[in-house]
Amino acid sequence: QVQLVESGGDLVQPGGSLRLSCAASGSIFGVNVWGWYRQAPGKERELVASITSGGITNYADSVKGRFTVNRDNAKNLVFLQMNSLKPEDTALYYCHAKRNSYGVVRYYWGQGTRVTVSS
């Protein structure tokens, strides 16, 4: 099992910044992709950004140039730095992990942290 706990969500004005954190624990050996997803009211959950164990990143078009995903391997933390926030970034943000252990792939989710962008 992999446990993921997000933090850092808040109410912020348009144009502001936030940094989300995801603390991972448990059987994280074998996790090869870490990701951030979000779900806005009435919408489906969508991928925001991901980072592989090799450091390769991927971003949704809507956040490219504004958001940055990175990891602190020593502390088992995954971050999402969000700049130039827009009202449409308002959502519940989830940390996600894809673990491949001996050919068995499992997916894990955190409980989410809420980001509200509003003036």
Side-chain angles (χ1 to χ4, degrees):
Q1 291 287 340
V2 176
Q3 292 79 43
L4 303 171
V5 179
E6 304 96 334
S7 61
D10 205 345
L11 170 64
V12 63
Q13 292 188 344
S17 297
L18 280 176
R19 188 176 81 155
L20 305 184
S21 300
C22 172
S25 61
S27 302
I28 61 174
F29 177 80
V31 173
N32 52 17
V33 183
W34 303 89
W36 286 96
Y37 286 72
R38 67 185 180 188
Q39 187 166 18
K43 295 189 177 181
E44 293 188 354
R45 193 173 297 189
E46 62 175 357
L47 175 67
V48 176
S50 64
I51 183 167
T52 68
S53 55
I56 298 172
T57 57
N58 180 51
Y59 297 93
D61 288 343
S62 59
V63 307
K64 281 180 182 176
R66 300 188 298 123
F67 290 12
T68 302
V69 59
N70 55 24
R71 285 197 64 203
D72 182 333
N73 293 324
K75 297 181 179 179
N76 295 328
L77 294 169
V78 184
F79 302 104
L80 183 67
Q81 177 67 43
M82 306 186 295
N83 299 326
S84 303
L85 282 162
K86 305 175 180 179
E88 51 264 42
D89 295 318
T90 295
L92 191 59
Y93 283 71
Y94 297 92
C95 184
H96 175 264
K98 175 186 175 184
R99 179 170 177 261
N100 188 335
S101 178
Y102 301 104
V104 178
V105 179
R106 290 194 173 92
Y107 302 91
Y108 301 91
W109 296 92
Q111 293 299 307
T113 185
R114 188 166 300 280
V115 173
T116 303
V117 184
S118 174
S119 54

